[in-house]
Amino acid sequence: MGKGITRRIFKGDKIIWIIFFLLCSLSLVEVFSALSRQTYETHNYWQPITKHAMFLFAGAGIVWFIHNMKISWIRDFSYFIYGGGVILLIWALIGGETYNDSARWVNICGVTFQPMEIAKMGIVMVTALVLAKSQTENGTDLKAMKKILILCAVPSFFILLENLSTVVIIAFTVFLMMFIGRVYWKHLLGLAGVVLLIGITSTSLLMLTPDKIGENGAGWERKIHSKALTWKNRIRDVFDSKGPVKPKDYVISGNEQRTYASIAIASSGLVGKGPGNSVQRDFIPHAYSDFIFAIIIEELGLIGGFIVIMLYLTILYRCGAIAAKCEDPYPAFLIMGIGMIITVQALLHMMISVGGLVTGQPLPLVSQGGTSILINCVYIGIILSISRYVKRLSNNNTTTAAEGTHSEKTASSEIENINRVNYEEGV
């Protein structure tokens, strides 16, 4: 009885459900631990984690709602979500709210969210739709690739003004989707060459950015210069190696995130210090979001960090396994795009936490953040919806095969009876 109720409530791939609840549980524990600095400043120990728990609870409701939707409904919403994301990006650029010197937020009826997360989801959905409609016996033609690039370029331009790393995640995911979608390899190589040339040229120009700008510069000029200078310093921070620095000569100011994150990882050991026992959480800015993986390693050790990595890789593996069973190309491309965008973002966050280029990317379903959590819950819901569709398809095929086998056996039995009667009459 209990298993029947559970099966009716939690449909679709059981492994995805398990991973989702594991990541949500990990998020509650680690975010509560990493919020110590914020709770000390606000003198309110329960308000931050209560808000985070409410987002996780709402996200679980979204997962359950989406996973009951038909694939056709999700397909019909693709361009609607894409268009809404672009409009909200323009709104954020013109009249959005600014946090940490970035106009990335839109406030509607008191609810504040990041439009780039919605636009990112829209890009994956329309890319899957274009690839599905452009499939031929010989692969996907060049027109489909051009259409995908145009659709990606519009929102990516507005996202680039605020968050370069998000554009990198989108570009890498879309490129992999086109590869899976059988876009001609010559076209993909040409695209990779163009992107590489643009990257080298942009980096070279970036490194030539002056460290100071005149006081008479316009507001938009000062904002662009500030962004360019931030990227320049981050690149310089990674690639400018001056050899070992003596402890007494090391300057922590301006490099707190990387410094204390490295200390957290180096002091973790195999099993860590235990949940809630992080020391460096009090010194890492945004430890509950951009550097939550460093806190996870410090508290759960290298073993815990490895398990978290495997959870995300398992999501990608399960998406691939489900996509292989899809008869319709759209859900196959969509689930692979979602699996890749979750995994690529997670791996980028982990790379940042262990000493890579510092940029703000939350760990999907773990880091604190309302918009990020809800959008990633939509992703999980879509994965489960497609897995439910595949399971139903498999059951129908099994039933059809069983009925066919039964019909064959019945026909064979009737033929044997006729032959036997004929034989007896002949005798």
Side-chain angles (χ1 to χ4, degrees):
M1 180 67 178
K3 291 184 178 179
I5 295 175
T6 303
R7 194 178 294 113
R8 287 194 294 270
I9 295 176
F10 303 108
K11 305 170 187 175
D13 192 275
K14 298 299 183 289
I15 295 177
I16 296 294
W17 274 113
I18 292 171
I19 293 174
F20 170 70
F21 286 122
L22 284 175
L23 290 175
C24 288
S25 301
L26 176 69
S27 178
L28 279 174
V29 174
E30 295 303 321
V31 169
F32 186 43
S33 175
L35 280 169
S36 63
R37 181 172 179 171
Q38 184 174 337
T39 54
Y40 175 77
E41 294 173 351
T42 60
H43 302 288
N44 190 331
Y45 291 95
W46 294 109
Q47 190 270 338
I49 192 60
T50 301
K51 183 178 179 181
H52 181 64
M54 289 176 62
F55 274 113
L56 288 174
F57 184 78
I62 289 174
V63 170
W64 184 85
F65 177 79
I66 297 291
H67 101 293
N68 282 297
M69 290 180 66
K70 296 180 179 179
I71 303 299
S72 58
W73 297 355
I74 297 174
R75 186 202 309 261
D76 294 340
F77 274 104
S78 296
Y79 279 106
F80 176 79
I81 294 175
Y82 172 84
V86 173
I87 293 173
L88 291 172
L89 282 173
I90 298 173
W91 183 354
L93 181 66
I94 298 175
E97 297 187 5
T98 302
Y99 294 94
N100 297 325
D101 297 326
S102 296
R104 304 178 187 176
W105 304 82
V106 169
N107 190 315
I108 299 179
C109 300
V111 179
T112 305
F113 58 92
Q114 287 182 304
M116 70 176 65
E117 293 290 340
I118 299 174
K120 187 167 63 174
M121 179 171 62
I123 288 173
V124 172
M125 296 180 74
V126 297
T127 299
L129 192 58
V130 172
L131 287 173
K133 290 182 177 180
S134 306
Q135 292 300 299
T136 64
E137 293 182 358
N138 299 321
T140 304
D141 58 20
L142 184 60
K143 291 182 180 178
M145 178 178 168
K146 290 180 178 178
K147 185 175 181 180
I148 290 171
L149 293 179
I150 293 173
L151 288 170
C152 293
V154 176
S156 294
F157 170 76
F158 296 105
I159 297 174
L160 181 64
L161 298 175
E162 306 296 344
N163 195 316
L164 175 62
S165 58
T166 298
V167 174
V168 172
I169 292 173
I170 292 171
F172 191 67
T173 300
V174 170
F175 184 86
L176 291 177
M177 289 180 70
M178 289 192 293
F179 176 77
I180 295 172
R182 303 191 306 156
V183 173
Y184 296 130
W185 63 270
K186 291 182 180 179
H187 297 159
L188 290 178
L189 282 179
L191 176 63
V194 172
V195 171
L196 182 62
L197 180 61
I198 293 175
I200 293 173
T201 303
S202 300
T203 303
S204 301
L205 293 175
L206 202 61
M207 299 310 293
L208 296 175
T209 302
D211 292 336
K212 293 184 179 180
I213 188 173
E215 295 294 333
N216 296 327
W220 63 270
E221 290 178 343
R222 300 182 66 83
K223 182 176 180 179
I224 293 176
H225 177 264
S226 176
K227 278 290 179 185
L229 195 59
T230 299
W231 293 338
K232 175 182 176 180
N233 291 333
R234 287 173 176 174
I235 295 173
R236 182 187 293 169
D237 187 39
V238 173
F239 294 103
D240 285 1
S241 177
K242 300 178 181 179
V245 179
K246 295 180 180 179
K248 65 183 183 66
D249 297 328
Y250 187 84
V251 179
I252 295 179
S253 179
N255 202 25
E256 293 90 349
Q257 290 178 316
R258 173 171 294 174
T259 300
Y260 292 117
S262 298
I263 294 173
I265 294 171
S267 62
S268 62
L270 280 177
V271 296
K273 300 174 181 176
N277 293 322
S278 171
V279 175
Q280 306 308 320
R281 64 189 177 189
D282 296 329
F283 306 102
I284 302 177
H286 308 294
Y288 46 84
S289 57
D290 297 348
F291 280 82
I292 191 69
F293 188 64
I295 305 302
I296 291 173
I297 295 180
E298 183 183 11
E299 295 190 349
L300 304 181
L302 297 177
I303 295 176
F306 176 77
I307 292 174
V308 173
I309 294 174
M310 292 307 300
L311 289 177
Y312 288 104
L313 293 179
T314 303
I315 290 177
L316 182 60
Y317 170 76
R318 292 304 302 167
C319 287
I322 295 168
K325 298 178 182 178
C326 291
E327 294 184 356
D328 184 359
Y330 173 73
F333 294 145
L334 179 59
I335 195 172
M336 285 305 301
I338 290 174
M340 285 185 292
I341 205 163
I342 291 175
T343 307
V344 169
Q345 181 172 327
L347 294 178
L348 179 60
H349 172 96
M350 295 170 189
M351 182 189 73
I352 294 167
S353 296
V354 299
L357 188 68
V358 176
T359 182
Q361 283 298 330
L363 187 60
L365 295 171
V366 176
S367 294
Q368 186 192 43
T371 311
S372 175
I373 288 175
L374 297 181
I375 293 299
N376 280 289
C377 286
V378 173
Y379 289 150
I380 297 296
I382 293 174
I383 293 173
L384 290 168
S385 175
I386 295 174
S387 70
R388 186 173 61 87
Y389 150 78
V390 168
K391 184 174 292 187
R392 186 173 63 250
L393 192 66
S394 177
N395 291 339
N396 291 340
N397 291 338
T398 302
T399 302
T400 303
E403 291 175 351
T405 303
H406 178 71
S407 300
E408 290 175 0
K409 287 182 179 179
T410 303
S412 177
S413 177
E414 291 176 354
I415 292 172
E416 288 179 359
N417 290 334
I418 293 172
N419 291 335
R420 180 175 54 80
V421 171
N422 291 337
Y423 173 76
E424 290 176 349
E425 292 178 350
V427 173

